[in-house]
Amino acid sequence: SRVMRALLVARTIGPAKNLVRVASALSDRNHEVAAVLSKDPESMIYAPALMSFNPDAVLVTTSSMNISDELAVIVQARQRGIPYAIFADTYGAHNRSEMPEEMKRDCSVVFVPDETEKEFSREIGYPRAEVSGVPIWEDYADLSNYPSRGDIRGKLGISDEEIAVVSAFGKDGNLNRRLLQDTVKALRMAIEATKRHFIFIPRFHPGDQSLKTDPNFYKEVLDGSLVRIIDSSAYKSADDIMPAMDLIVSQFSTIGINAIYQRKPVIEYMIDPVLERLEKQTGRRYWPPAKCGAALTATMFDVLLLAVMELSDSETETAVLLKKQQEKYYPVQKGGAAKRVVSVLERLVAEKAAVKV
């Protein structure tokens, strides 16, 4: 096929990791790529200026909290009749409230993780959706990408009989504090009830302003928890320690999806303010992995406590069923996602060239 010029834009690091894979798959096919895949949003090149590259196709992600750069590029693409595609790197990432309806309507294609999301895309006004999968999700299941469970636990000082529970928190300090309080309280009560050794590994968001302003913002909750707290900051990301974890408590974050691919039990602790945030960000009050039973939803503290006790023992009926659903809905895929994106982009550009003729 003829050489295509593709412009890729992703403002934040998570979505950018996926487009880096797409960029390299494009280069493998000898296409020309201009990309703004930012590590530091402050130094973001003004993306619309890259339109001077005269791309044949534009691919953006829209999952970060500020998508002004991505939207500005779409506006330019629409004005110039250039096909643009959106890459949804997680559930609901293409349904941000800042996305004007006509941008969805005119979008040439939206790439989504799976069939459920393809259905959802039609409901929210996208004319064409393609299931591509998510490049970085494909890595989660490949344990050769990680140090071993024993190595990680050794480095963090976690013994064999300890049950390691990890949580990743978002940017809202006050909500985090409440979730943190509930999680450590559940662990303390589980220790008393089961006499097993639960320990806790909290992971805080680099964009958490409360913690930036006051490094001791969560100290009181953690110090008073009577649960052993492990500092894992030697590891850059929560993903890096996943093989060593036994249980994950999260709020619709990709750490839960990583855990599902590694067949670890996941509890989505979705109290009202979390559900409100989910709805605001994605347009629905449920998280697909939890809806299909690959993760367990707890909407109140008592359920969280029960779930912690049930799922920390891999022999319980709940734990066995959860793993079964994970295997059914999240089969391991290897390396196809970026290539699928590229072949659809090639088709789009070819279709447009054919129309011109």
Side-chain angles (χ1 to χ4, degrees), residues 191-204:
I191 291 169
E192 287 163 12
T194 63
K195 303 288 178 271
R196 295 163 76 205
H197 303 284
F198 288 88
I199 58 166
F200 185 52
I201 299 94
R203 298 286 311 192
F204 297 107

Side-chain angles (χ1 to χ4, degrees), residues 22-333:
V22 175
S24 111
L26 281 161
S27 302
D28 289 346
R29 303 266 296 150
N30 299 319
H31 296 303
E32 291 176 36
V33 181
V36 183
L37 303 176
S38 156
K39 285 192 174 58
D40 173 15
E42 300 315 311
S43 68
M44 183 91 174
I45 311 158
Y46 184 53
L50 282 172
M51 277 298 186
S52 59
F53 173 68
N54 280 330
D56 300 302
V58 170
L59 177 65
V60 304
T61 60
T62 52
S63 60
S64 60
M65 295 316 288
N66 175 352
I67 54 173
S68 52
D69 291 290
E70 289 86 344
L71 292 182
V73 170
I74 292 178
V75 166
Q76 294 246 10
R78 286 180 72 212
Q79 282 168 358
R80 295 164 61 163
I82 297 168
Y84 65 89
I86 290 171
F87 182 83
D89 64 319
T90 186
Y91 297 102
H94 53 320
N95 196 31
R96 293 286 181 255
S97 48
E98 307 90 302
M99 275 288 287
E101 287 307 310
E102 64 274 13
M103 279 192 184
K104 294 179 184 173
R105 189 191 62 223
D106 296 344
C107 176
S108 302
V109 61
V110 58
F111 294 103
V112 294
D114 55 30
E115 288 296 335
T116 1
E117 210 56 4
K118 186 173 178 174
E119 230 15 64
F120 179 62
S121 304
R122 291 203 193 97
E123 287 165 26
I124 59 177
Y126 284 95
R128 180 176 175 186
E130 296 273 351
V131 175
S132 58
V134 181
I136 60 175
W137 291 8
E138 295 173 337
D139 297 351
Y140 290 156
D142 182 357
L143 291 181
S144 69
N145 290 320
Y146 302 86
S148 73
R149 176 182 171 87
D151 284 353
I152 301 167
R153 286 177 82 105
K155 193 169 171 184
L156 293 176
I158 301 172
S159 71
D160 283 347
E161 71 278 1
E162 286 180 308
I163 300 164
V165 181
V166 63
S167 275
F169 296 92
K171 296 176 186 174
D172 176 344
N174 292 321
L175 176 57
N176 289 347
R177 191 185 262 162
R178 185 177 162 190
L179 294 165
L180 193 59
Q181 269 167 333
D182 284 358
T183 308
V184 292
K185 182 180 170 190
L187 295 180
R188 187 177 68 240
M189 289 171 75
I191 291 169
E192 287 163 12
T194 63
K195 303 288 178 271
R196 295 163 76 205
H197 303 284
F198 288 88
I199 58 166
F200 185 52
I201 299 94
R203 298 286 311 192
F204 297 107
H205 199 288
D208 180 343
Q209 290 308 319
S210 309
L211 201 53
K212 275 185 180 161
T213 318
D214 173 12
N216 292 323
F217 188 74
Y218 301 113
K219 191 175 179 339
E220 198 182 321
V221 178
L222 293 173
D223 288 355
S225 70
L226 304 179
V227 175
R228 191 158 100 85
I229 309 290
I230 301 281
D231 173 6
S232 65
S233 55
Y235 290 88
K236 201 167 150 219
S237 143
D239 292 331
D240 300 335
I241 59 172
M242 192 55 72
M245 300 296 110
D246 301 303
L247 179 63
I248 290 79
V249 179
S250 76
Q251 287 78 39
F252 67 93
S253 79
T254 44
I255 179 185
I257 290 166
N258 182 341
I260 287 170
Y261 275 106
Q262 291 191 31
R263 311 305 184 222
K264 308 257 179 195
V266 179
I267 301 167
E268 293 291 338
Y269 187 40
M270 303 284 217
I271 50 176
D272 273 344
V274 174
L275 287 172
E276 278 155 31
R277 209 175 84 219
L278 178 63
E279 187 170 25
K280 187 167 177 258
Q281 280 184 30
T282 69
R284 52 188 161 183
R285 283 176 78 88
Y286 65 85
W287 184 232
K291 197 178 183 193
C292 72
L296 199 145
T297 306
T299 51
M300 48 204 272
F301 177 78
D302 295 356
V303 183
L304 172 65
L305 174 59
L306 281 173
V308 165
M309 295 198 289
E310 275 284 299
L311 291 177
S312 55
D313 173 358
S314 58
E315 306 298 309
T316 61
E317 207 176 319
T318 316
V320 170
L321 184 63
L322 195 80
K323 194 170 179 182
K324 226 181 188 154
Q325 297 303 90
Q326 292 178 340
E327 284 161 357
K328 178 178 174 183
Y329 289 98
Y330 294 87
V332 174
Q333 300 167 318

